[in-house]
Amino acid sequence: MIRRWRNDPRAALRDARDRLDKRDFVQFGLRRAVVPFRVRHHSGPRRIAGGADQPIVFCLLRNGMAWIEAFLHHHREMGFERFVFLDNGSTDGTLETLEREDGVTLLRTAAPYRAYENTLKRYLVDRFGRDRWCLFVDIDEQFDWPLRDSVKLDSLVRYLQRSGANCMITHMLDMFSERAMGDLDVRGQTDFLTIFPFYELANIRRETYNFGNIAPIAMHYGGIRKALFGTDNGLTKVSFFRNVRGLAPFTEWHHVKKGRFADISGVLFHFPFEAGFAEKVRDAIATGRYGYHTTGEYVAYGSGGDVAALSIRSEDAIRFSRTDELVTRGFLTVSDAYRRYADGVDCAE
């Protein structure tokens, strides 16, 4: 720290401020008190009907046009019907697109993302998802879970509730194409897994999960971005949880305190490597929008030259077939109890 102060005092001050920003008493105390005054309803239902067994999808986004159609199509196919989006300053038609969609509540805020990210997320699930199952995902992510041919969404929720779980680990899996990123304009497309058919597991590091004893489920780091850019990205999140009293979501960005963890894990298919990736990298570096914790990753992404011209080639690439193969390959975990449940579930439930 002393060296940083000597070399760049302003950078050290910014880092110190950002670290303070992420303390619970600032995020969920001081800022939580003012967030209701910084969020505006834009369109869609102000209240979302339904009970705990009818999950809601939440997403905080900016300039998400490229992914919206695929995002909604995928999650509706999974069985989700209710969506809450909070827009953070889009200029690409995101608002106009979402306000036309059925089942979507759309809010707006100008609060700075780097300071308010976790505060805004907890505000949303507390406002719309108290005592309900909440799926919180980024616009470039798509959620799935093992044995879904038998265990549909309502059956998954039933299993989690019967087993006493209120949260479920999810692992990000970066999907990629062998074509140059600049050629991958995905606007209007719905089946991203055909456009980005490859993944790799060779560069994933596994460690003990720090927020609960959930062995054999581990914390994942690295992945294809480690191989490409040298970054050690955290890949594990608690994205699906029931927002019950006492649960503290968005701890350290993507985790929970006081959770009762499921004995299975899910996947977040991640689709960052499209035509707009280079511009997103430039914007993140120029604005510092993502704060000290993530801006360094974007600096690494942009340090290798023309990102738009990059074609991802990997000797360890695996062509995706179906989600259940991720269990066989050790990326996802299912318990014997879950397998027995899947064997006994009627697909028509």
Side-chain angles (χ1 to χ4, degrees):
M1 177 62 75
I2 292 175
R3 181 177 297 174
R4 294 197 66 180
W5 272 87
R6 288 175 178 170
N7 293 343
D8 190 347
R10 290 183 180 180
L13 283 171
R14 285 195 300 270
D15 281 2
R17 180 198 63 198
D18 286 348
R19 291 178 188 277
L20 179 62
D21 282 345
K22 299 305 180 186
R23 297 293 177 89
D24 281 1
F25 78 90
V26 174
Q27 294 185 100
F28 306 125
L30 301 177
R31 290 206 172 98
R32 178 61 179 83
V34 302
V35 157
F37 303 100
R38 305 200 66 166
V39 173
R40 296 288 182 268
H41 178 268
H42 183 83
S43 62
R46 292 179 180 270
R47 289 179 172 272
I48 301 179
D53 59 346
Q54 297 174 302
I56 303 171
V57 179
F58 293 87
C59 183
L60 173 57
L61 80 165
R62 176 176 176 267
N63 290 339
M65 269 291 293
W67 298 275
I68 288 172
E69 191 164 348
F71 181 94
L72 289 171
H73 175 79
H74 172 84
H75 289 104
R76 285 167 174 161
E77 287 286 303
M78 298 297 104
F80 294 95
E81 299 176 353
R82 300 161 179 84
F83 299 83
V84 175
F85 290 91
L86 175 57
D87 186 85
N88 190 211
S90 290
T91 58
D92 68 344
T94 289
L95 285 166
E96 294 79 3
T97 300
L98 287 173
E99 68 188 14
R100 296 192 294 265
E101 292 287 341
D102 293 334
V104 168
T105 293
L106 178 58
L107 310 172
R108 294 179 292 124
T109 185
Y113 184 87
R114 63 182 295 154
Y116 279 83
E117 174 188 358
N118 295 329
T119 314
L120 290 167
K121 290 178 177 179
R122 191 178 288 186
Y123 166 77
L124 289 179
V125 298
D126 284 347
R127 176 173 171 179
F128 295 99
R130 283 200 178 275
D131 198 33
R132 293 184 68 161
W133 284 92
C134 304
L135 174 66
F136 214 116
V137 281
D138 294 337
I139 194 65
D140 60 357
E141 297 172 341
Q142 296 179 5
F143 173 59
D144 202 357
W145 60 93
L147 309 184
R148 183 170 48 80
D149 286 346
S150 297
V151 184
K152 307 303 184 186
L153 179 61
D154 57 349
S155 298
L156 174 66
V157 168
R158 191 177 305 117
Y159 175 79
L160 296 175
Q161 294 183 162
R162 287 179 181 178
S163 65
N166 59 22
C167 56
M168 179 177 169
I169 290 289
T170 51
H171 299 302
M172 293 173 64
L173 185 62
D174 293 325
M175 307 301 296
F176 58 92
S177 169
E178 293 182 334
R179 296 167 55 195
M181 289 187 203
D183 296 336
L184 296 168
D185 185 350
V186 298
R187 289 172 295 182
Q189 302 297 315
T190 57
D191 189 356
F192 276 18
L193 287 171
T194 61
I195 303 171
F196 305 95
F198 298 105
Y199 66 94
E200 67 138 80
L201 305 178
N203 289 283
I204 292 177
R205 187 180 84 257
R206 295 167 174 83
E207 294 185 358
T208 301
Y209 187 70
N210 292 329
F211 296 89
N213 180 17
I214 57 172
I217 303 174
M219 179 75 184
H220 290 184
Y221 296 90
I224 189 65
R225 282 177 284 171
K226 174 77 170 178
L228 291 174
F229 308 111
T231 56
D232 198 28
N233 308 78
L235 303 175
T236 299
K237 305 180 180 182
V238 178
S239 299
F240 195 43
F241 57 90
R242 184 172 178 177
N243 188 32
V244 295
R245 183 183 296 275
L247 189 76
F250 311 111
T251 297
E252 296 293 325
W253 287 274
H254 302 303
H255 305 281
V256 302
K257 291 180 180 176
K258 301 180 181 178
R260 300 190 303 276
F261 291 90
D263 55 2
I264 62 171
S265 56
V267 61
L268 297 176
F269 296 112
H270 187 214
F271 304 99
F273 302 128
E274 48 78 50
F277 184 67
E279 177 56 35
K280 183 177 181 179
V281 169
R282 287 191 291 269
D283 178 72
I285 295 171
T287 64
R289 164 178 168 77
Y290 297 100
Y292 80 96
H293 189 264
T294 306
T295 297
E297 293 177 5
Y298 282 94
V299 171
Y301 301 157
S303 64
D306 185 0
V307 178
L310 179 64
S311 297
I312 302 175
R313 308 288 183 181
S314 170
E315 294 180 356
D316 300 304
I318 303 167
R319 182 179 288 273
F320 178 78
S321 175
R322 59 200 303 265
T323 298
D324 290 354
E325 76 188 34
L326 300 175
V327 177
T328 305
R329 295 184 182 277
F331 181 78
L332 296 183
T333 301
V334 299
S335 67
D336 290 340
Y338 181 73
R339 287 187 184 277
R340 290 193 297 271
Y341 178 78
D343 288 341
V345 167
D346 185 339
C347 293
E349 277 191 323

